[in-house]
Each structure stands twice: as C-alpha cells, then as structure tokens.
C-alpha cells in the first residue's frame, strides 16, 4: 500500500476516534447538565396579573417544581398588553433555563396576529416545553344581573347596540376571542373592557362596572361557589362535568366559539435540550401528582399534559383558528 494511502487511513482513523471522543464527551456533559440543573433560583414569568387563572396554575406547578428539583421557582407577574410586555422581556432572557415563562396562547399565537410590530417572534424566540392544563372560557354575569341566559344577553345587546360591556384579562386573550366569536355569531355589538388579570375582572363584575365577563374556570370558581356570579355558557366541545346544567356555545348556536385554552411552560430559544427535557420530565411527573391535582381541584382546572411536539402542533392549529376570528372581528390592539 502506498505511504500516502496509509497516511490517509491513519488520518481517517484519528478523525474518527476524535469524533467518538467528542460525542462521548458531549453526551456526558448533556447528561450531567440534566442531572445538576438547576443549581440556583429559577424565575417564572407570568404575563398576567396576580390572582387570575394563569397566576393560580403557575404557582401550583412552580411550587411542585421547587419541591421536586430542590431550587426556588419564583413566580413574577408582569401583566399588560395581553401578555406582550412579559413576552418581550422573556425574549431577551438568557437561554440558560433560569428564566422561564408560564403562559397562555395570548402572547404566543395571538399577539403576532394583531400586531406586526411585536418585539419578539414567538416561534423563533421561544421553545415549547410542555402544556400542563387546559380550561374552557365561561361567560358569566353578576348574580344580581337580570340576564339569566346567554339569549338574555344577546337580546339586551340588540336592544342597546354598542352599550353592553364585557370584561376579560386582556385584548387578544382566548377569552376575548371567544366572546368576539359569540358576538359575531349572534350579530350583536358589545364593548370590550380589558383588564390586567382575571382577579381584576371579577372585582369589576361584582362592582357592576361591566355587564358580563369571559373568564376561565380558575378565575370564576370561588365567586361561583359563593353565589356571587352566574354562569351562562361555556366554550368546551361538550358540557363540563362540574357544571352539567351550563350549555356550550355550540349548543346555543355558536360553534365558532368552541375552544379550550391551555396553560404551558416555555423556555428561551437556545436553551440546552437537556434542560428542556428535564423540565418536560418534571412537569409530566407533577401533572400526575395527586397533591397538584388536589390543589387545583377547587378551581376545576383540567390537568392535561402534552410534551414539546404536541405543544408545537397545537400552536400551529391555534394560529389558524385565532387568525380567522381576529380577521373577522377586526381586532386590533387598543380595542
């Protein structure tokens, strides 16, 4: 064999050996990173105010992650602009797993559809970690309201065009979209009054500052139990077990408002896959934890886990659905 061929073989063997060593080292580092993360406090941004549904669910899972992973997971509320304020800050966070965001679809699939000047690209700047819970949208009124059914609300809106007000936790939230889908289906006009979180909406509704509200179950559960709110309809595909007498939007002739919003955790793009995988694993375990389910039982939150791939698929589906509603209702920021 010519010396040049032998030299080439030796070089190839050396390169191959180096590649094997590098792959082994990378795997070792990745495994080590997954096992040791986190080594310090973790911030969990919540893009809505304290006391609302997202805040409630975020704190339950943050507490469980803290117990399971041995480091503090501190929830930080940054409400405003349907979650865009927190999302913009999150997009600038280091991709090291120590700043996460527990969110709804509002700043992820909805905001870019309403505003082409958002300060982030949710599909490029964020990595889906896991969906942990879902919950439909409910239309509720003050228990003292003369409206006993959704049909009563529709009649009141038709008798008083543009005067009926409804509250949600922000422009472009699933709550807002569901209400607008119902309004268009019923051919009525209502005035949207956005707040910074579900807690503020409840306060306004109980104070008769708005006529009705579109909220998640976690926000309304306490007030419904106390008898201060009346539930008129729900956005789920079928009636909810906890509220068997409450009809769905589809039953009432508004199938376009059928949706089941999710809650999930995201990490900044570039976060090591080992950390994303560890968080996914821990969240799946937490979703099966009886203590977590017990804490959320009173809110009627539906625990439902979905990993990164399914999470990403849902984002694609929702972008199409919500885009149709936004274009049809001509929803813009500031409404």
């Amino acid at each position: 064999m010519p010396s040049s061929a032998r030299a080439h073989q030796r070089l190839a063997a050396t390169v191959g050996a180096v590649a094997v060593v590098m792959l082994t080292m990378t795997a070792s580092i990745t495994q080590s990173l997954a096992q040791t993360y986190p080594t310090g406090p973790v911030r969990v941004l919540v893009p809505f105010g304290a006391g609302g549904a997202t805040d409630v669910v975020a704190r339950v899972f943050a507490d469980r992650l803290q117990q399971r992973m041995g480091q503090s997971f501190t929830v930080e509320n940054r409400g405003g602009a349907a979650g865009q304020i927190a999302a913009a800050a999150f997009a600038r966070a280091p991709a090291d797993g120590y700043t996460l965001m527990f969110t709804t679809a509002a700043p992820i699939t909805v905001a870019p559809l309403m505003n082409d000047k958002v300060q982030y690209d949710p599909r490029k700047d964020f990595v889906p970690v896991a969906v942990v819970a879902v919950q439909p949208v409910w239309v509720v009124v003050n228990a003292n309201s003369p409206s006993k059914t959704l049909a009563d609300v529709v009649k009141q809106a038709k008798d008083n065009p543009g005067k009926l007000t409804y509250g949600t936790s922000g422009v472009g939230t699933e709550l807002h979209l569901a209400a607008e889908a119902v309004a268009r289906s019923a051919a009525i006009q209502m005035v949207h009054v956005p707040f910074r979180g579900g807690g503020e909406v409840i306060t306004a509704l109980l104070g008769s500052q708005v006529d009705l509200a579109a909220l998640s179950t976690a926000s309304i559960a306490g007030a419904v139990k106390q008898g201060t709110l009346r539930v008129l309809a729900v956005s789920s595909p079928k009636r909810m077990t906890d509220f068997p007498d409450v009809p769905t939007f589809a039953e009432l002739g508004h199938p376009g408002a059928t949706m089941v919003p999710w809650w999930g955790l995201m990490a900044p793009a570039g976060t090591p896959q080992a950390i994303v995988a560890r968080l996914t694993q821990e969240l799946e375990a937490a979703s099966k934890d009886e203590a977590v389910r017990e804490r959320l039982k009173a809110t009627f939150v539906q625990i439902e886990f979905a990993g990164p791939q399914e999470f990403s698929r849902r984002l694609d589906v929702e972008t199409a659905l919500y885009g149709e509603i936004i274009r049809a209702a001509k929803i813009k920021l500031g409404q």
Side-chain angles (χ1 to χ4, degrees), residues 281-302:
Q281 176 185 347
E282 294 295 344
L283 285 170
E284 183 172 17
S287 70
K288 298 175 181 177
D289 194 300
E290 285 302 318
V292 169
R293 291 176 176 274
E294 188 62 30
R295 286 185 63 183
L296 291 175
K297 184 177 181 181
T299 67
F300 302 104
V301 165
Q302 296 173 257

Side-chain angles (χ1 to χ4, degrees), residues 138-150 152-153 156 202 205-206 211-215 220-234 243 245-247:
W138 303 81
V139 170
V140 296
V141 295
N142 189 309
N144 296 322
S145 169
S147 296
K148 307 295 183 183
T149 65
L150 188 61
D152 292 337
V153 170
Q156 185 180 356
I202 294 292
L205 189 58
L206 296 179
D211 296 305
L212 64 152
L215 292 167
I220 69 169
V224 170
K225 287 181 179 179
Q226 294 168 9
T228 55
L229 290 184
R230 179 184 302 127
V231 185
L232 304 184
V234 64
F243 296 89
D245 297 328
V246 178

Side-chain angles (χ1 to χ4, degrees), residues 125-237:
D125 295 335
F126 311 143
V127 174
V129 177
V131 168
V132 295
V134 298
Q135 202 165 148
V137 179
W138 303 81
V139 170
V140 296
V141 295
N142 189 309
N144 296 322
S145 169
S147 296
K148 307 295 183 183
T149 65
L150 188 61
D152 292 337
V153 170
V154 171
K155 182 178 185 306
Q156 185 180 356
K158 288 185 174 180
D159 291 342
N160 303 276
K163 293 185 178 180
L164 206 66
T165 58
Y166 72 94
T168 74
S169 58
V171 175
T173 58
E174 300 97 315
L175 311 169
H176 180 198
L177 299 186
E180 283 299 324
V182 170
R184 284 188 59 78
S185 176
I188 59 176
Q189 292 183 342
M190 299 187 293
V191 178
H192 180 217
V193 183
F195 292 84
R196 292 172 65 88
E200 292 185 9
V201 181
I202 294 292
T203 298
L205 189 58
L206 296 179
S208 299
Q209 296 170 6
V210 291
D211 296 305
L212 64 152
L215 292 167
S216 64
T217 326
S219 291
I220 69 169
V224 170
K225 287 181 179 179
Q226 294 168 9
T228 55
L229 290 184
R230 179 184 302 127
V231 185
L232 304 184
V234 64
S235 73
S236 53

